Structure formats: C-alpha cells, structure tokens
Amino acid sequence: MATAAAAQDTDRGTDHGTTARQGVFDAAVAADERIEPRDWMPDAYRATLVRQIAQHAHSEIIGMQPEANWISRAPSLRRKAILMAKVQDEAGHGLYLYSAAETLGVSRDELLDKLHTGRQKYSSIFNYPTLTWADVGAIGWLVDGAAITNQVPLCRCSYGPYARAMVRICKEESFHQRQGYELLLALSRGTPEQHAMAQDAVDRWWWPSLMMFGPPDDASQHSAQSMAWKIKRHSNDELRQRFVDICVPQAESLGLTLPDPDLRWNEERGHYDFGPIDWTEFREVLKGNGPCNEQRLDQRRRAHEEGAWVREAAAAYAGKHSGTSETGATRA
Amino acid sequence: MTTTDWPLWEVFVRSRRGLSHTHAGSLHAPDAELALRNARDLYTRRGEGVSIWVVPSSAITASSPDEKDPFFEPAADKPYRHPTFYEIPEGVKHL
C-alpha cells in the first residue's frame, strides 16, 4: 500500500507537527494499541520493521529448501503428504509476511531482489544441511519449536499487520512441531539404527536451534529499542531459557538425549542450566560461511529465474483479457 | 531479475454460511481469476472459507487517519444513542 509512504510525507510539515505526531505514536505504543499502516510512525520504527519482517519472510521461503529436499524420499505416502503440506505452509507464511512488509511502503520485487543479492538476511538455521530423514523430524520439533517460542509473543507486536500475520502463522506452526515430534518418536522407538539416526539429528540441530534466539542480551544491538517499541516483548536470553525448559522433558519422553553435558535442573533458579553457546560458529554462518549458504541462495535465484516465463505469461494473458471477464461482479 | 508489477488484491473470506466476508489479507496476482485461485491456496488451506472475494487494493477508498478525530467525532457526543443512557426503575422487566 503505497499510501503509507505518502501519508508519511505529508506529516513532515513542521517540527511542531512531528513532535505532536511522535507524542500520539508514543501514547499509542504505551497504551498497548496497535500502529496501523497509514498512521505516522518514526522512520527508525518503520526501518526496523521492514528489516525484521523481510528477514522473517525470507526465512520462511528459504526454509522450504532443507525439508523439500526429502519430499521425494519420504518413507511413506502419509509422511510425504504431511511434508508437502508443511512446505506449502512455509510458502504461505512467507507470503503473509511479504504482504505485511509491503504495508510499510516497500515493494515485493524490491524485497526479493534484496534477498537474491544478499542485502537482506534470512535465519542462519537454514544454512545447515538435512543429512538424513530424521533431520525432518528434528527441524519440526526443534527449529519450528524455537520459531514458535519466538513468534507467539510477536502476535502482540505493536505493528498491526505484522501481529495479524503472526497470529495466522502461529496457528499453523503447531502442526509443524507435532509432526516433527511424532516422526522422531517413531524413529526413536524403531530399530537401533533408526534410534541412532534420530539421536544424531537431535545432536546436530540442538545448538543451532538455541542460536535461533539471537545473540545474548548484552550483545544484541537492536533489542533494547525493539522492546521499547513493543515490537519485541521478551529478551533473546529469556526466550532461549523458556525453550530449553520446554525441550528437556520433551526429549526425555522421546527417549533421546540433548548434546549438552552441562544441562541440569537448577532448583534455585527454577530453570535448566545449559552450557555455553559457540557464538563464533553463529557469526561465521551469519557471515555466509555456513555449510549451505551458497547453495540456498543459488537455488532461490534459480527458482526465481526459472519461474520468470510463468509470471510473464500470466501478465500477458491478463493484459490481453483485461476489461472482458469480470468474475467478481456477482456478489456471493 | 524480472519485475512482475502484478497488482495487489485484498482478500475477503466468508468462514461459513451466515457470516459476512472478513478481510483475510492481501496478495499479488495478474488478474481476478488468478487472484481468486491464489487466495484459495493462501488463505483457505484448512477449510477456513466457503466463499472468497478479491478486490483490487487500488479500488478501495479509505478514510484518512489524519481525519480520524473530526471525521468520527459526531458519534462521540451522543451517548443517548446507547440503551445504557436511560435510567429505568428497578423491577421493570423486558426493557
């Protein structure tokens, strides 16, 4: 909606006007009201949202790849149908989020271009490979589980369109997590080889999943401002702790262990203590040196280029028939 | 990179018979027919709807947020439009 940018321009009349509008914005955020696309908002608030929502949308789209890798080799028709539905959901989630980003005055093409040229990021978790079928389960349980822990508070984010997209996404994510857990449980209770495969997948995905919550609070550059704006409701470390506390008993029920010798219940804190995270690895993957960074972006670009003829054909067809068929003319 | 310039459509979904269509979100599509198909795939993957409307976003006229106060103000000072405005003696029923 291009109107967002236009509304902003007219608001720049005087310093006095800006101060007054800043006051209205601050009051709305303080009162837990939602900011909507055509409301005045500080430039930095807008820029932060575009960065975050775009990165979130890109993550959903790139996130289709590691799992789609296993669709053709799913062990049963049931598992295959489930996996296809899940990958299709990820595409849908990407589209909800791109729409939300567009309400801030950026175009879809611009966002895709920034993804393809590496100027906007996606979650570094998707730069790890899916080596075995059990990885599909580990992604559902741990990666989607971490995503849910992150996303549930975003349903109350101060920006209306983002919050609404998150409500829809969270409803759909819980199937993702449960199918992953069920898949791992089947393997864990299967043959010794299957059990070992499940354990190996959990061993590889545990630490990267903890990194999904972002750097520790004292090193997180955007956190304080995002909390003040109520884009973010909880700190990275707080959410990470919540996730660990949820996962430990779930792992026990699976009959699998989490690869952390320091993991133990702390009676005093009322939480599980866990070992140090390798932030050097996190930074390296973020910089582009993860196992699959290049492969993911290459495949994304290729898919976009190979789909060009479809987009062109549809546009040409629409141009040729414009003004003739009005299917929406009758009210349902 | 090719640019598409497909127009934006707003999607309204009737979740079941007897309810009105509600705004679900938006999407890009080259024409109305594909907008409907994309809307079905995007917003009704779990049986969330029995009917969909798609409307070009450019066809929507909205009240400006800047006009908010004066535009809606006439309604604010007429509490007598609400039933709670009236005092009725205790014990009077069906009123």
Side-chain angles (χ1 to χ4, degrees):
Chain A
M1 287 170 221
T3 42
Q8 198 190 17
D9 285 345
T10 56
D11 291 342
R12 294 259 177 70
T14 60
D15 285 349
H16 174 72
T18 305
T19 315
R21 286 171 201 287
Q22 177 80 50
V24 171
F25 171 86
D26 291 342
V29 170
D32 254 341
E33 280 176 22
R34 298 289 175 264
I35 306 300
E36 294 295 342
R38 303 200 310 158
D39 292 338
W40 182 91
M41 61 189 87
D43 290 346
Y45 177 82
R46 185 184 299 274
T48 297
L49 280 168
V50 169
R51 179 180 55 76
Q52 181 172 335
I53 301 173
Q55 179 172 330
H56 199 157
H58 299 330
S59 301
E60 301 282 358
I61 297 298
I62 296 285
M64 295 164 76
Q65 292 184 30
E67 292 183 284
N69 179 37
W70 282 93
I71 290 178
S72 61
R73 288 169 289 165
S76 67
L77 185 56
R78 177 178 184 268
R79 294 286 176 197
K80 187 173 184 162
I82 291 169
L83 189 52
M84 283 197 294
K86 179 177 192 291
V87 171
Q88 195 188 11
D89 270 358
E90 307 299 357
H93 296 177
L95 294 178
Y96 306 152
L97 288 161
Y98 283 126
S99 292
E102 283 177 278
T103 64
L104 292 158
V106 287
S107 77
R108 182 80 52 109
D109 288 332
E110 188 184 336
L111 294 171
L112 285 178
D113 194 49
K114 281 187 172 157
L115 169 65
H116 296 154
T117 52
R119 282 176 297 156
Q120 277 174 347
K121 299 202 178 302
Y122 56 88
S123 176
S124 59
I125 192 80
F126 300 116
N127 291 317
Y128 291 89
T130 40
L131 302 178
T132 70
W133 170 249
D135 287 29
V136 173
I139 288 181
W141 176 42
L142 296 173
V143 175
D144 289 311
I148 291 170
T149 308
N150 255 330
Q151 289 170 351
V152 167
L154 284 174
C155 296
R156 293 185 298 124
C157 159
S158 60
Y159 188 57
Y162 191 27
R164 290 193 286 276
M166 291 318 307
V167 169
R168 195 172 274 278
I169 288 173
C170 285
K171 270 189 204 159
E172 299 181 351
E173 285 284 358
S174 84
F175 131 60
H176 297 182
Q177 196 188 16
R178 288 173 70 112
Q179 65 82 32
Y181 193 82
E182 189 206 65
L183 192 166
L184 280 179
L185 191 65
L187 290 176
S188 178
R189 291 177 177 174
T191 65
E193 289 79 10
Q194 287 172 329
H195 181 90
M197 188 198 271
Q199 183 61 59
D200 169 64
V202 169
D203 288 348
R204 281 181 290 108
W205 287 95
W206 174 249
W207 290 107
S209 299
L210 293 193
M211 294 175 196
M212 283 176 69
F213 295 94
D217 295 346
D218 48 18
S220 175
Q221 55 178 133
H222 304 294
S223 276
Q225 181 59 70
S226 286
M227 300 264 278
W229 278 328
K230 295 189 182 172
I231 293 173
K232 215 176 147 103
R233 297 279 182 163
H234 306 280
S235 80
N236 295 353
D237 287 330
E238 201 181 332
L239 291 170
R240 188 167 13 244
Q241 180 71 62
R242 187 180 294 178
F243 179 65
V244 170
D245 291 346
I246 289 171
C247 284
V248 174
Q250 290 179 348
E252 281 166 15
S253 299
L254 275 176
L256 299 173
T257 57
L258 297 171
D260 180 357
D262 297 325
L263 195 64
R264 63 178 59 86
W265 179 251
N266 183 324
E267 193 68 50
E268 243 170 77
R269 293 202 308 126
H271 292 291
Y272 283 93
D273 288 337
F274 53 98
I277 293 170
D278 182 1
W279 293 112
T280 318
E281 176 184 323
F282 177 75
R283 281 189 296 271
E284 280 304 306
V285 179
L286 209 58
K287 261 197 285 179
N289 303 324
C292 300
N293 294 57
E294 227 170 289
Q295 181 189 334
R296 299 290 186 235
L297 265 187
D298 280 350
Q299 185 170 338
R300 176 60 220 149
R301 286 192 209 103
R302 201 178 332 122
H304 190 70
E305 282 158 18
E306 287 174 358
W309 72 270
V310 179
R311 296 191 293 277
E312 283 158 18
Y317 181 87
K320 206 168 149 186
H321 292 261
S322 63
T324 51
S325 70
E326 287 295 332
T327 52
T330 39
R331 291 184 58 134
Chain B
M1 298 293 154
T2 48
T3 53
T4 55
D5 283 338
W6 283 358
L8 191 66
W9 302 75
E10 300 301 324
V11 179
F12 298 82
V13 175
R14 185 204 294 282
S15 57
R16 59 187 163 84
R17 300 179 68 84
L19 296 178
S20 53
H21 288 72
T22 310
H23 186 238
S26 53
L27 52 76
H28 288 274
D31 57 30
E33 195 183 334
L34 277 173
L36 266 184
R37 284 176 181 276
N38 291 354
R40 178 200 59 188
D41 291 345
L42 191 54
Y43 292 106
T44 62
R45 287 197 299 284
R46 288 173 176 77
E48 293 94 331
V50 294
S51 165
I52 299 175
W53 290 346
V54 290
V55 181
S57 305
S58 57
I60 292 178
T61 306
S63 62
S64 157
D66 293 343
E67 292 167 10
K68 194 172 159 188
D69 289 347
F71 191 70
F72 294 105
E73 208 163 296
D77 62 353
K78 296 177 181 61
Y80 44 84
R81 281 177 171 164
H82 298 275
T84 47
F85 180 77
Y86 302 94
E87 280 185 36
I88 305 295
E90 247 177 80
V92 177
K93 289 178 180 169
H94 308 300
L95 195 69

